Amino acid sequence: MDYPKGTEHHRAPMWTEHISRPGWRAVGAVVNQGQSSKLVAVGYGYRGAPHQWWHQQVYGGMRNAGWSEAAIRQTMANYFELTELHVHPNAQGHGLGEAMLVRLLADRTEQVALLSTPEVNHEDNRAWRLYRRLGFNDVIRNFTFTGDSRPFAVLGRNLPLTADDRPTS
Ligand SMILES: CC(C)(COP(=O)(O)OP(=O)(O)OC[C@H]1O[C@@H](n2cnc3c(N)ncnc32)[C@H](O)[C@@H]1OP(=O)(O)O)[C@@H](O)C(=O)NCCC(=O)NCCS
């Protein structure tokens, strides 16, 4: 996602803390290269909870976007937050991202999956196409998280993700 070089150093403690969150699940994809293998994709998420920063940001954003308290509470009562999903540029365009997202959402106990992704013109990138293909709908558009001036969309879909929702598998 073109994060500045070195981002991994200051984000590593946060990623480490996320591992301890209830419902955490991660997936990865490796390609074999002779004797060794190389990690080409990672994704993870966990069960959202009211004390979490992302939850509080989205809660406020939904309120500002005109959602009723009841609808916000219902949506956020029991959800899986897709936190990170990345496929190395050399490995993109082969359905890996979709396979990983399907794997992440398989057999979840939550009622809803939520994620945030940067807004792009005409929703024209692989992330948007993937989320739309898998049935993610608008929750909030053009939302700015505290400390980040870029506009994001928050998207969501009900769970479970069934075989009928999986176009390519
Ligand atoms: C978003 C991202 C995870 C999607 O992963 P991906 O592996 O590139 O994409 P998908 O799994 O959706 O694959 C779809 C593409 O593979 C092609 N494909 C080939 N075989 C396929 C198969 N068996 N099944 C599905 N798609 C297949 C499709 O035609 C499609 O190509 P297109 O986008 O050129 O039309 C990845 O592009 C990425 O890491 N982007 C940068 C980081 C990012 O934006 N992350 C999300 C932040 S919220």
Side-chain angles (χ1 to χ4, degrees):
M1 290 181 71
D2 295 326
Y3 287 134
K5 210 167 170 54
T7 299
E8 67 275 20
H9 299 303
H10 61 84
R11 291 221 176 170
M14 184 186 75
W15 292 327
T16 305
E17 188 270 321
H18 286 174
I19 292 171
S20 66
R21 293 188 172 182
W24 182 85
R25 176 184 287 174
V27 293
V30 294
V31 289
N32 292 324
Q33 294 179 325
Q35 300 283 42
S36 62
S37 52
K38 185 180 169 195
L39 184 67
V40 294
V42 289
Y44 80 83
Y46 45 76
R47 193 169 314 130
H51 66 275
Q52 295 165 1
W53 179 86
W54 194 89
H55 180 107
Q56 291 163 4
Q57 293 278 309
V58 171
Y59 200 106
M62 289 175 76
R63 193 185 276 146
N64 290 341
W67 284 66
S68 70
E69 280 301 313
I72 300 172
R73 272 201 225 103
Q74 192 185 10
T75 302
M76 302 200 81
N78 185 15
Y79 69 96
F80 176 78
E81 179 197 329
L82 175 71
T83 311
E84 302 283 354
L85 183 65
H86 302 277
V87 175
H88 189 281
N90 294 344
Q92 290 177 14
H94 302 286
L96 248 188
E98 181 180 318
M100 296 211 309
L101 183 50
V102 166
R103 189 76 67 91
L104 277 170
L105 297 182
D107 306 319
R108 296 298 311 186
T109 57
E110 295 85 2
Q111 289 171 344
V112 173
L114 294 175
L115 62 87
S116 50
T117 193
E119 295 278 2
V120 294
N121 279 341
H122 309 296
E123 305 184 357
D124 188 15
N125 71 10
R126 284 213 165 104
W128 275 94
R129 286 195 290 276
L130 169 61
Y131 300 142
R132 291 306 197 199
R133 203 163 62 240
L134 287 188
F136 280 82
N137 297 309
D138 292 352
V139 177
I140 321 173
R141 297 300 299 262
N142 290 299
F143 176 65
T144 47
F145 288 92
T146 302
D148 190 341
S149 58
R150 293 173 301 163
F152 277 78
V154 177
L155 305 178
R157 62 152 293 141
N158 289 334
L159 294 176
L161 185 73
T162 66
D164 289 343
D165 300 318
R166 294 157 50 180
T168 56
S169 53

